[in-house]
Amino acid sequence: MKHLILTHIVLIGMVQVVCAQPFDREIHDAYGRALILHGLNTGGDAKHNSDHQPWIKEADVDREHTQFGFNCVRYLIFWGVIEPEKGKYNEAYLQEVKKRVEWYTSRHMYVILDMHQDVFGYGVGGNGAPVWASAHPLIQNLIPDKWPWWMQNLEPKVIRSYVQFFRYRKHKDRQDHYILCWQKVAELFHDNPYVLGYDLMNEPHGGKIIKTLAGGFERRQLSKMYERLIPAIRAVDTTRYIFFEPRSFGTNFGMKAHLPQVRDVKPGRPKLVYAPHCYPKFVDIGGGYTAKYQHELSKWYKVREKEQVMQQSPMLLGEFGLSPSKKGFDSFLSDLNRQADSIHMSWTYWSNSLGSWGPLNPDRTPSPILGQLLRPYPQATAGWLISYHYDEGTKGFQMEYMSNASITQPTEIAIPKSLYAKGYDLRITGTNQYRTEVDTVTNTVMVYVSEHGAHVRVAVRPR
Ligand code: 9MR
């Protein structure tokens, strides 16, 4: 839905002029439908697996598509695996990525390619950047292993590596190669319509904590890196979406970002998506979603909504997740989902690796996480999506939209079968010029409305 934003109010004497500027709150498909994406990061295990691919087989992808109703994946790829030696590309790895990407796209699931990194890269105990792009690999480790993994970012050699990467004028070749690496990926995927886009850098970090928290990193370095990278990707690909993240440190918790508005350079409407992560303090690393920390989640949302208005882009919550052993994990996921639905935010859960935080146990049976992620949602809306809502208690689902009859493809709603053991009733009001179809393989309901501008209401109730 076009989101009307009051961008500025100009007072001229007693006359108040309000300038409004519209932006798309949702990602749109090639037919003009508003998309809501639900899917899984795939997967954390790829960081450590010898082939750097996630555990999945094609049958697992099929199960996500048909049984769980997911319509996308955030697929991890790594600069250091693509370009292990400076200027030499690992074509075999890219072909293996392509093969797996096609497991999704052949099923019309959307793929977001995430250039992943944690703790800078392979040369300094993390993953992401190639060894050759890191500084001082031999400086000794100072941070104890038992501390949370992201504390490794305090290692001097890690700090130095980030600082050098983002100090462009002095160490140009690091970013230049990162950019070439993205061009290589874009060349491989730009003509696959179900590759939705490119997540430029997972959880960017500036190295120096004070500078990072104070905003200098995002204002002067990260945004400049994006200003180099986005035109380079656009030279190869003007049709995919570009997903960009703020700095991770603090913003994952719910602190505000300092990233200036990121701009696209393609002709026509920009195709950018703001893609922050949500790990409110101290839910996943502390005592869980207890009364003391529940407000941290709403705080996170408030901050992100403001930033979305500034960024003028749809939002994807690229990562959120926690262990099902944490107190209140289920309320956390249900509160998070409710708020995501209320602002039409797409999401990808961290991550689908088996066991631990994953929705499946090591034997591939559902973990308690899965139940919290399965819900009806409007995957594609042929018109203006006004609202959608799922009540986990009653299992009732409602959505409202304004039909656009010039869109040839239907509105598609995922209705995971496992939620409705005895079936469900579907009620459509607001128009009588409609027909529905059900895809019994994917459990998707398709609604075709031939009336233009009808205020359509769809309701699903369990039998
Ligand atoms: O869950 C992941 C954990 O097992 C790893 O040790 C760690 C370091 O690689 O990364 C964790 O995943 C993080 C992801 O890569 C980036 N966003 C936060 C995730 C959860 O902490």
Side-chain angles (χ1 to χ4, degrees), residues 279-298:
Y279 295 100
K281 70 173 193 221
F282 286 104
V283 176
D284 65 303
I285 55 164
Y289 193 56
T290 52
K292 192 167 169 206
Y293 292 113
Q294 282 174 5
H295 67 281
E296 295 291 342
L297 179 62
S298 359

Side-chain angles (χ1 to χ4, degrees), residues 77-111:
I77 55 174
F78 307 92
W79 175 28
V81 184
I82 299 172
E83 193 187 1
E85 282 177 60
K86 211 169 180 175
K88 289 203 179 129
Y89 296 103
N90 183 346
E91 303 289 346
Y93 167 75
L94 286 171
Q95 286 309 317
E96 287 297 320
V97 171
K98 188 163 184 268
K99 182 169 107 189
R100 286 163 178 79
V101 162
E102 286 168 3
W103 291 346
Y104 296 91
T105 61
S106 62
R107 291 170 170 77
H108 293 186
M109 288 173 82
Y110 288 104
V111 176

Side-chain angles (χ1 to χ4, degrees), residues 179-180 182-184 186-187 190 198 228-239 242 264-267:
I179 290 169
L180 285 169
W182 259 124
Q183 284 188 316
K184 181 97 189 148
E187 272 159 19
H190 77 277
Y198 313 121
R228 289 177 202 107
L229 180 51
I230 292 172
I233 291 179
R234 288 301 183 219
V236 177
D237 181 341
T238 53
T239 50
I242 288 180
D264 205 346
V265 294
K266 70 182 271 302

